[in-house]
Amino acid sequence: MMKKCGIIAVIFLAVMMAPGVRSVAAQQLTRFAVVDLSRVYTQFFRESRAVREWEERSARVQTEVDRMTAEIQTLHGSLVDAEARGDEERALRLQNEVYRKQDFLRDYYQVKKTELEDQMKKLSQSGSFLEQVRDEIRFIAESEGYSMVLNQRENTGILWFSPTVDITEKLITNLRTKAGR
């Protein structure tokens, strides 16, 4: 009986050590990778002309907001001076002007903020950028044997992952190489 169990164990080990069995077992192993798409955006996509134009537009809006804010502060200083001197007519006129300009600034800021957010959303979802990223993710996944790649930031199901499965830096490097940067 003992000799029969030993022979079965040896046969089992021989079968498991055979190259064909190991490759079948390896093929059944599912490998996952993660990528931080927001980091890909900030390090690769951000360097594009379209994003630089968005940043310039954003800076112009901020300059205009700063200018209007300074103007309101100056008017508010004049209002305080008029109130201190007892010039109620001037104070009332300045107060109305301050409120009017504050309302305009608030509306201007909301409109421009929404426009900039919409423009950035369109840029980050542009077909060519996303297609380029997806193609490169597919290439990395297939060449390195990953069967699934998850977005590290947007997948709430990821509780933990090893840094060894993070392909973000490789993706950025490949995208830069292909873009000639």
Side-chain angles (χ1 to χ4, degrees), residues 132-159:
Q132 189 177 6
V133 169
R134 281 190 193 113
D135 287 347
E136 197 56 40
I137 288 172
R138 184 181 309 112
F139 173 78
I140 293 169
E142 289 174 353
S143 65
E144 296 190 13
Y146 294 110
S147 53
M148 183 178 291
V149 178
L150 304 170
N151 185 349
Q152 171 185 342
R153 301 277 182 196
E154 292 182 14
N155 190 327
T156 57
I158 299 176
L159 299 176

Side-chain angles (χ1 to χ4, degrees), residues 4 38 57 60 69 80 118-119 143 154-155 157 181:
K4 191 174 182 182
S38 63
R57 182 177 178 199
R60 285 191 305 271
T69 301
V80 170
D118 289 346
Q119 183 182 5
S143 65
E154 292 182 14
N155 190 327
R181 295 182 194 163

Side-chain angles (χ1 to χ4, degrees), residues 5-21:
C5 287
I7 293 173
I8 292 174
V10 170
I11 292 172
F12 178 74
L13 282 172
V15 168
M16 291 307 289
M17 297 298 279
V21 172

Side-chain angles (χ1 to χ4, degrees), residues 48-108:
S48 73
R49 190 186 93 227
V51 174
R52 283 194 307 271
E53 289 172 358
W54 177 88
E55 288 173 340
E56 290 169 3
R57 182 177 178 199
S58 182
R60 285 191 305 271
V61 168
Q62 186 59 52
T63 299
E64 186 62 17
V65 166
D66 292 345
R67 184 194 64 74
M68 285 189 260
T69 301
E71 185 179 339
I72 291 169
Q73 289 172 341
T74 300
L75 286 171
H76 193 268
S78 297
L79 169 63
V80 170
D81 290 343
E83 287 174 340
R85 287 191 317 270
D87 188 350
E88 290 180 24
E89 183 180 323
R90 179 168 167 73
L92 184 59
R93 189 172 40 86
L94 287 169
Q95 187 176 32
N96 287 336
E97 192 171 350
V98 166
Y99 286 138
R100 189 174 45 80
K101 289 191 182 267
Q102 285 174 333
D103 284 342
F104 178 79
L105 174 58
R106 195 172 16 261
D107 292 344
Y108 175 84

